[in-house]
Amino acid sequence: MSFPLLTATAVVPAVGAVATAAVPAARRAAAKWLALGFSLATLVLAAVQLVRFDPDAAGPFQLTESHAWIKDFGVRYELGVDGIAVVLIALTALLIPFIVLAGWHDADPLEGASPNWRWRPTQGFFALILMVEAMVVISFEATDVFLFYLFFEAMLIPMYFLIGGFGDRAGERSEEETAAQRSYAAVKFLLYNLAGGLIMMAAVIGLYAVTADQLGMGTFSLQEIVQARADGRLDLAPAAERSLFLGFFFAFAVKAPLWPLHTWLPNAMGEATAPVAVLITAVVDKVGTFAMLRFCLQLFPEASKWATPVIVALALVSIVYGALLAVGQRDIKRLVAYASISHFGFIVLGIFAMTTQGQGGATLYMVNHGISTAALMLVAGFLISRRGSRLIADYGGVQKVAPVLAGTFLVGGLATLSLPGLAPFVSEFLVLVGTFSRYPAAGIIATVGIVLAALYVLVLYQRTMTGPVKDGVRGMPDLRVRELAVVAPLIALLLFLGVYPKPLTEIIDPAVGHTMSQVEKSDPKPDVPVNEAEAAK
Amino acid sequence: MENLIGLLVAAPLLGAAVLLCGGRRLDRSGPWVGTLLAAVSFALAVALFADMLGRSGEERTLTTTVFSWVPVGGFRADVGFQLDQLSMTFVLLITGVGTLIHLYSVGYMEHDERRRRFFGYLNLFLAAMLLLVVAGNYLLLYVGWEGVGLASYLLIGFWQHKPSAATAAKKAFLVNRVGDMGLSIAIMLMFTTFGTFAFGPVLEGAGQAGEGKLTAVGLMLLLAACGKSAQVPLQSWLGDAMEGPTPVSALIHAATMVTAGVYLITRSGALFDAAPTAQTAVVTVGAVTLLFGAIVGCAKDDIKKALAGSTMSQIGYMILAAGLGPVGYVFAIMHLVTHGFFKAGLFLGAGSVMHGMNDEVDMRRYGGLRKYMPVTFVTFGLGYLAIIGFPGLSGFFSKDKIIEAAFAKGGTEGWILGGAALLGAGITAFYMTRVMLMTFFGERRWQPDADGNAPHPHESPKTMTVPMVILAFGSVFAGGLFAVNDTFLKWLEPVTGHAHGNPPVSALTVTAATMVVLVLGVALAWARYGRKPVPVTAPRGSWLTRAARRDLLQDDFNHIVLVRGGEHLTRSLVYVDHTLVDGVVNGTAASVGGLSGRMRRLQNGYARSYAVSMFGGAAVLIAATLLMRAV
């Protein structure tokens, strides 16, 4: 048996979580370094996955592992990655070290707190982050529906504690008030996602019942179900397929989040510390959109096509609505949250446009949005930690006192508004063109998002960074070495992937082609294809 | 030779990277580093030009593919360049004027502590603008297109501690984004129509596509051009853009970036030629803007804003010419180049005046400066004569041809367009004479500013006057050089094509009529601003003057409809999201699962206990599954 690389990529952060949690209360610093070390080790494993992955290999999944688990219910421990999963795992593994580093002091005990505080917040904070990483990674790897479901849901537990347990320093608000708001946000997060999960659980059981009924033996294996459908051994009635599809889709739409199920996100991202907000929107939420591609489309291709018009409409609403709400925010972190809702609209739109450019673009969008939001949100977090306020109105003239902070904030913002030359432009344009070639009207409406993104980003920049220096901003220190070490690589990556995204598109493309063939869709042909030879050259 | 094209873009890009990331130690040398790299770029441009001249007209186009940029399915975007006579013209203008303005800025920005960054932004602009004109496909052009928008944003807002500068920068970017929307839709339409958006195949295949599609593409490209080139209805940003340092106004908001729309339309000529409806829209926009800008230019007392109105108007001429099709492409570009010389020169002159006048921009507080700034006066004066179309100077040749071509459009349309262009020439003579008289003639009207510092007008240093003198030479001779033997026409014709128009009246009549309106415009301005003293506070003026001062009320419209309306919309949406969407979803959940009771309980402090029970539940689930496996 070869080395179980996929299992290892999930187990390493899980072990790291346990080890970090076990560090004695007095050795806080050691816990941080331990967490950073484990997150880097995971990054190495993810890089090995990327290297060993062969984009041109036949078959949908690679590096597969398969073991019987719960025989009575046909549950298997089945892992495998396609081009989409492997880049998302790489994104996750890449972002976690930055999240750890950015949150270095976020869980330090408050000044004046007793040194032998029985609850060890620092250890807990970093252990929870690693735990989330482990669960996200295995969710991307699982090709058994039950296995996926288990970790998709289990992820809520560490996330709940991360949101509810750690927040920004209260600043001008009272500790009690912030604690109450935090706990409201955490509970809202939990209930929304739990509701989605419960509905999905019903659908998972339903899927089992159908397979048990028609195949004689129930199964959760994605490949087996897809194969059985192709052979005609499994034939879902339209009504059954649609209700199962909706069950799955609902859970993913909550997580993604899609309008109107989005309202938990601004609360969660607003109350959590900036690194945890990045963890939510850049990492955890990606499981939702990823699962739409992997499970909704592949398990229920007919129902996916049936639901497409409605989903495209909801995605468009998300794009425009999220952006307009972002414009109206007074709180920096909530603004970024609504911007993310708009961006998730683009991702869902690209997936359901059912074109190579749309789905390839959506996958690339997941990666690029992860990096760009991390850059913007983490710098916003550094800014907030200096002033102790999330309100835009409390800032002004920061570029005068902290030019590097302002400059990196601007680059993060420009990435968020998809400026050409930075990575998000490529994916956004692919989604737009992929959508436009199938649904011209939807493509045109989505371009409104381009203008609105410029509005919320530049208004945010103008209000916080330009103008006369405000009182609370005076004397604000510029980015420190640790902070620069977080931001600079992210910016470099945004530039690199904006100029040369080919390494990623080469990996993603075949996987998207496979998904497209599952739903039996092919790209629309141009009206008057000119000079194919010329075009190819 | 092809490899040099990449270097052309890379040199200023390197400058931008070094200057923006380089840190304090480059503060002293930064301006010269930036200028040097601009000059390197110019040298490369000259080398490429010499090489191009060595080949005959049809074989002058160089194309090269550097690497495959975004290959996804049938969607193929390359980083590839195309350098033909049209691009070459722009490259020479951009690098030439660009280098001069870098040099000028060395003197102009001498006392600004953030000048390293200023030169970094200027280099960034050069790189993006060069990319825009040498890109071999529309998507790469889009990168340059937004890149210059970014540089423009950064430079307009360079003094960002001033709220007005920060607001102007944001406004410019946003209005341009509306145009960019047009460009992206145009590219998407090309992709669905032709399966590609590289210049070669799209422009060659244009004839095969349906006219409806081409009209749509043309209108979207026009929208893009309106944004970048400050044409009605997207012109409102240009006046505010004058908040930027004056060298920026000269380079970006007069000579190069704002003419990108003309480039786009001329480059896409084959598409427009097959879409007459789109062409009609183009000439309409051009004609309306040339009058709009001219009228606004008449009313402004701020010297830079008066010049900005003029820029808008002159680009209106170019857009008008480009919309006329093969009759006009060559003249659009010719006017673009001569305008690049004289308008850059005028702005640098205005900067020189401000430099000597404590940054005063109000022309009512100038007067009689010709004695104090002789070099500025002479160079500005030559630029003035060039722009009003004084016979023999640059503007005379290029503008006259456009007016002629407009008449040649034929029918009522021809008379309307030609009439508008002719009227515009008269107004141009009026407002430019006004600027000239208020600034350099009459009595001195300057006063101490709020801090009690009286201006001591003086001539500017050499780094500033040398570029002004060189540009003045261009303003005087470029038009004549281009016109002799139809040199410019023969140079550009292989790319844009050319058709001779047949105006309903003879060319000589058109020229005579132009001279008449020119004299009328100058005389009227003399009567109002030369013969009588200029009051220091502006008189109330007619309703037209008052409207023109406010950009013909377009800004008020924008403010009420877009800004206020938008604020109301977002505010009410925030409310709706908080109460309605959140409420409905929570309510639905409550009625389904009785969650609201729990929600309330949780808020009352039971959150922890609930979470613990959740955690417990999950743990039991996991334990159960593991147990089952063991069994």
Side-chain angles (χ1 to χ4, degrees):
Chain A
M1 198 183 88
S2 60
F3 177 71
L5 182 59
L6 297 191
T7 302
T9 317
V11 165
V12 166
V15 171
V18 175
T20 309
V23 172
R27 308 289 302 274
R28 228 178 29 237
K32 295 176 182 179
W33 286 105
L34 201 61
L36 186 63
F38 272 98
S39 69
L40 288 172
T42 315
L43 178 58
V44 170
L45 288 171
V48 173
Q49 276 194 28
L50 211 51
V51 171
R52 292 210 12 216
F53 185 82
D54 175 12
D56 302 320
F61 297 112
Q62 297 181 35
L63 307 171
T64 48
E65 295 169 30
S66 182
H67 305 282
W69 184 13
I70 312 170
K71 289 214 180 71
D72 295 343
F73 296 113
V75 176
R76 299 182 64 82
Y77 177 80
E78 224 173 50
L79 304 180
V81 287
D82 59 3
I84 299 169
V86 85
V87 297
L88 290 173
I89 292 166
L91 169 77
T92 307
L94 179 84
L95 287 179
I96 299 294
F98 292 117
I99 289 172
V100 167
L101 209 53
W104 206 247
H105 297 299
D106 283 5
D108 287 351
L110 289 172
E111 279 168 43
S114 143
N116 357 307
W117 206 10
R118 94 194 132 79
W119 148 242
R120 291 172 295 178
T122 312
Q123 284 82 336
F125 183 72
F126 293 103
L128 287 168
I129 290 175
L130 288 176
M131 203 39 135
V132 171
E133 178 178 25
M135 289 173 172
V136 168
V137 166
I138 205 149
S139 303
F140 286 137
E141 292 171 341
T143 55
D144 184 285
V145 176
F146 185 84
L147 185 67
F148 168 82
Y149 174 74
L150 193 66
F151 287 101
F152 180 75
E153 282 300 287
M155 217 184 287
L156 300 179
I157 301 158
M159 279 315 302
Y160 168 83
F161 287 107
L162 276 173
I163 298 167
F166 306 89
D168 293 320
R169 298 279 182 266
E172 277 139 35
R173 294 182 298 169
S174 76
E175 279 295 344
E176 271 171 26
E177 193 190 332
T178 46
Q181 285 186 358
R182 253 201 322 269
S183 119
Y184 173 74
V187 170
K188 196 169 174 182
F189 162 82
L190 195 63
L191 290 184
Y192 267 73
N193 283 283
L194 212 56
L198 285 176
I199 292 174
M200 183 179 165
M201 182 151 87
V204 170
I205 294 168
L207 183 68
Y208 177 80
V210 172
T211 54
D213 183 38
Q214 294 198 16
L215 301 176
M217 165 71 199
T219 180
F220 290 104
S221 163
L222 176 65
Q223 272 176 291
E224 241 181 278
I225 296 171
V226 167
Q227 192 57 46
R229 288 199 64 150
D231 297 347
R233 281 181 291 139
L234 185 65
D235 185 24
L236 292 176
E241 187 184 344
R242 287 170 191 177
S243 43
L244 291 180
F245 167 84
L246 288 177
F248 277 69
F249 184 79
F250 186 79
F252 304 149
V254 170
K255 182 132 308 189
L258 194 65
W259 189 89
L261 304 170
H262 64 276
T263 52
W264 64 268
L265 187 72
N267 285 88
M269 281 179 70
E271 298 306 325
T273 65
V276 172
V278 172
L279 191 65
I280 298 170
T281 186
V283 176
V284 171
D285 287 354
K286 295 293 167 0
V287 181
T289 44
F290 162 81
M292 288 180 195
L293 265 172
R294 176 171 278 184
F295 295 106
C296 283
L297 259 51
Q298 302 199 23
L299 287 173
F300 317 110
E302 292 309 315
S304 300
K305 282 184 268 185
W306 162 77
T308 293
V310 177
I311 294 172
V312 164
L314 289 178
L316 287 176
V317 173
S318 287
I319 291 172
V320 177
Y321 185 91
L324 283 173
L325 264 287
V327 174
Q329 295 306 310
R330 291 177 204 162
D331 172 323
I332 300 173
K333 284 157 94 185
R334 288 179 66 95
L335 188 153
V336 180
Y338 277 106
S340 282
I341 291 167
S342 181
H343 288 142
F344 277 108
F346 274 105
I347 297 173
V348 174
L349 185 66
I351 292 173
F352 282 88
M354 311 254 183
T355 55
T356 313
Q357 290 80 35
Q359 296 189 343
T363 308
L364 201 56
Y365 209 123
M366 292 185 219
V367 176
N368 293 340
H369 170 260
I371 303 170
S372 66
T373 305
L376 182 67
M377 192 66 169
L378 293 178
V379 180
F382 299 150
L383 181 70
I384 291 166
S385 70
R386 281 163 167 68
R387 172 79 175 76
S389 166
R390 288 165 17 204
L391 290 183
I392 294 169
D394 284 344
Y395 296 88
V398 173
Q399 61 86 26
K400 190 96 179 161
V401 287
V404 179
L405 191 154
T408 51
F409 191 70
L410 182 62
V411 177
L414 292 173
T416 303
L417 63 77
S418 300
L419 187 86
L422 298 172
F425 168 72
V426 174
S427 41
E428 190 160 299
F429 197 82
L430 282 172
V431 166
L432 284 173
V433 88
T435 307
F436 185 84
S437 58
R438 181 87 66 199
Y439 309 106
I444 290 171
I445 295 171
T447 54
V448 174
I450 299 183
V451 179
L452 292 175
L455 184 60
Y456 61 70
V457 168
L458 295 184
V459 168
L460 174 65
Y461 183 80
Q462 186 191 356
R463 299 215 175 126
T464 51
M465 301 295 167
T466 72
V469 181
K470 282 225 171 140
D471 281 344
V473 171
R474 203 156 286 141
M476 187 179 268
D478 211 335
L479 285 190
R480 300 180 178 94
V481 175
R482 171 182 60 87
E483 295 168 331
L484 207 57
V486 171
V487 180
L490 292 175
I491 288 177
L493 210 55
L494 285 171
L495 279 166
F496 177 77
L497 290 177
V499 177
Y500 200 59
K502 205 170 146 201
L504 287 187
T505 57
E506 274 176 351
I507 298 175
I508 294 168
D509 237 16
V512 165
H514 174 75
T515 312
M516 292 270 293
S517 69
Q518 293 291 311
V519 288
E520 292 168 342
K521 280 276 192 181
S522 56
D523 289 339
K525 288 271 171 287
D527 302 353
V528 280
V530 280
N531 225 336
E532 286 288 344
E534 175 83 284
K537 191 179 69 183
Chain B
M1 237 30 216
E2 285 89 347
N3 301 336
L4 288 190
I5 309 177
L7 280 182
L8 196 66
V9 180
L13 195 61
L14 175 74
V18 167
L19 291 172
L20 293 177
C21 307
R24 295 267 153 81
R25 76 203 95 120
L26 281 169
D27 273 354
R28 188 178 286 271
S29 57
W32 290 108
V33 171
T35 310
L36 179 72
L37 283 162
V40 166
S41 198
F42 179 62
L44 289 168
V46 171
L48 283 163
F49 180 57
D51 174 65
M52 188 179 270
L53 286 178
R55 279 169 285 133
S56 69
E58 304 299 328
E59 287 144 21
R60 283 180 170 167
T61 306
L62 290 178
T63 51
T64 166
T65 304
V66 185
F67 61 90
S68 168
W69 178 29
V70 192
V72 175
F75 183 96
R76 303 204 166 266
D78 292 336
V79 171
F81 304 125
Q82 172 177 333
L83 187 74
D84 56 13
Q85 290 91 322
L86 180 62
S87 320
M88 194 71 237
T89 310
F90 272 88
V91 166
L92 286 171
L93 178 76
I94 295 159
T95 53
V97 176
T99 307
L100 288 177
I101 288 176
H102 272 75
L103 186 64
Y104 177 92
S105 306
V106 172
Y108 192 84
M109 301 298 285
E110 201 179 355
H111 305 294
D112 197 296
E113 56 173 354
R114 289 164 71 238
R115 60 190 180 282
R116 171 177 58 87
R117 202 180 291 199
F118 179 82
F119 279 84
Y121 293 161
L122 273 189
N123 271 202
L124 177 67
F125 168 76
L126 277 192
M129 189 71 204
L130 287 168
L131 181 64
L132 195 166
V133 296
V134 299
N137 63 64
Y138 283 95
L139 198 67
L140 193 62
L141 178 148
Y142 190 28
V143 175
W145 189 266
E146 285 235 330
V148 292
L150 169 68
S152 164
Y153 168 80
L154 294 169
L155 285 164
I156 296 170
F158 184 70
W159 288 314
Q160 39 179 267
H161 52 92
K162 282 185 3 198
S164 56
T167 307
K170 181 189 68 188
K171 182 175 175 184
F173 197 95
L174 281 176
V175 175
N176 267 293
R177 266 264 154 151
V178 177
D180 296 349
M181 213 173 109
L183 187 53
S184 40
I185 294 174
I187 298 173
M188 296 193 282
L189 269 165
M190 286 176 202
F191 178 70
T192 56
T193 310
F194 303 109
T196 175
F197 36 79
F199 288 150
V202 167
L203 298 173
E204 276 162 33
Q208 299 163 31
E211 199 187 312
K213 280 274 170 76
L214 290 178
T215 305
V217 173
L219 290 176
M220 287 299 117
L221 290 176
L222 174 63
L223 180 64
C226 283
K228 198 61 73 197
S229 292
Q231 300 292 294
V232 175
L234 297 180
Q235 85 297 348
S236 65
W237 63 272
L238 187 63
D240 296 352
M242 297 299 122
E243 286 286 343
T246 306
V248 171
S249 313
L251 178 61
I252 301 185
H253 305 118
T256 56
M257 184 191 84
V258 283
T259 58
V262 184
Y263 172 78
L264 184 67
I265 292 175
T266 311
R267 172 60 75 203
S268 318
L271 291 170
F272 280 96
D273 293 344
T277 318
Q279 281 189 319
T280 309
V282 174
V283 290
T284 310
V285 164
V288 168
T289 312
L290 83 87
L291 291 175
F292 185 105
I295 292 170
V296 169
C298 292
K300 296 285 184 184
D301 290 331
D302 177 327
I303 187 168
K304 287 180 72 181
K305 291 200 169 167
L307 289 177
S310 161
T311 303
M312 219 182 267
S313 168
Q314 298 300 315
I315 297 171
Y317 274 103
M318 301 170 208
I319 295 277
L320 167 65
L324 294 171
V327 181
Y329 292 133
V330 171
F331 303 130
I333 302 300
M334 185 164 141
H335 193 53
L336 191 154
V337 176
T338 57
H339 175 259
F341 285 120
F342 57 69
K343 189 51 71 59
L346 288 169
F347 264 109
L348 294 190
S352 176
V353 169
M354 288 161 58
H355 197 71
M357 293 287 289
N358 289 356
D359 287 330
E360 177 64 74
V361 289
D362 187 353
M363 292 189 289
R364 293 186 182 278
R365 289 164 187 269
Y366 292 166
L369 290 176
R370 67 180 185 282
K371 278 172 280 183
Y372 303 89
M373 305 177 178
V375 181
T376 306
F377 168 62
V378 172
T379 54
F380 194 94
L382 290 172
Y384 155 74
L385 290 175
I387 192 175
I388 65 170
F390 191 81
L393 272 70
S394 285
F396 168 75
F397 295 101
S398 50
K399 199 191 286 177
D400 203 46
K401 288 286 184 194
I402 295 179
I403 300 174
E404 214 176 286
F407 276 114
K409 174 93 175 161
T412 330
E413 228 181 310
W415 284 104
I416 295 174
L417 295 175
L422 197 59
L423 180 61
I427 308 179
T428 306
F430 173 80
Y431 68 73
M432 281 312 301
T433 310
R434 175 177 177 267
V435 169
M436 197 69 200
L437 291 173
M438 285 173 84
T439 306
F440 292 102
F441 293 88
E443 303 152 22
R444 30 187 288 189
R445 294 182 299 273
W446 59 85
Q447 292 154 355
D449 62 14
D451 303 330
N453 301 322
H456 298 287
H458 56 268
E459 192 52 87
S460 300
K462 278 268 162 20
T463 49
M464 289 169 69
T465 52
V466 168
M468 284 154 60
V469 170
I470 296 174
L471 287 171
F473 266 95
S475 313
V476 175
F477 298 114
L481 271 174
F482 292 164
V484 168
N485 293 332
D486 290 333
T487 314
F488 197 77
L489 201 161
K490 284 178 195 150
W491 158 253
L492 215 51
E493 196 180 1
V495 184
T496 59
H498 185 68
H500 277 285
N502 294 309
V505 287
S506 76
L508 208 63
T509 321
V510 172
T511 310
T514 315
M515 284 306 115
V516 171
V517 295
L518 189 157
V519 171
L520 281 176
V522 172
L524 190 62
W526 164 254
R528 297 193 57 172
Y529 302 98
R531 215 156 47 99
K532 290 184 286 190
V534 178
V536 175
T537 39
R540 188 155 176 272
S542 68
W543 61 270
L544 183 62
T545 312
R546 290 200 301 276
R549 278 185 196 138
R550 305 179 66 87
D551 294 331
L552 297 179
L553 306 183
Q554 218 246 342
D555 256 9
D556 302 75
F557 174 83
N558 283 353
H559 188 77
I560 292 164
V561 175
L562 297 177
V563 180
R564 289 270 192 76
E567 274 169 9
H568 283 297
L569 176 68
T570 53
R571 250 185 243 150
S572 41
L573 273 181
V574 170
Y575 179 76
V576 164
D577 194 55
H578 194 68
T579 52
L580 210 66
V581 179
D582 214 11
V584 167
V585 174
N586 286 349
T588 314
S591 58
V592 173
L595 288 174
S596 88
R598 282 179 225 179
M599 235 3 204
R600 233 175 292 124
R601 192 149 54 92
L602 289 163
Q603 272 183 277
N604 290 340
Y606 291 90
R608 279 268 150 83
S609 68
Y610 185 74
V612 168
S613 62
M614 268 291 311
F615 186 76
V620 170
L621 187 66
I622 293 170
T625 48
L626 290 174
L627 201 68
M628 283 170 116
R629 189 190 176 192
V631 171

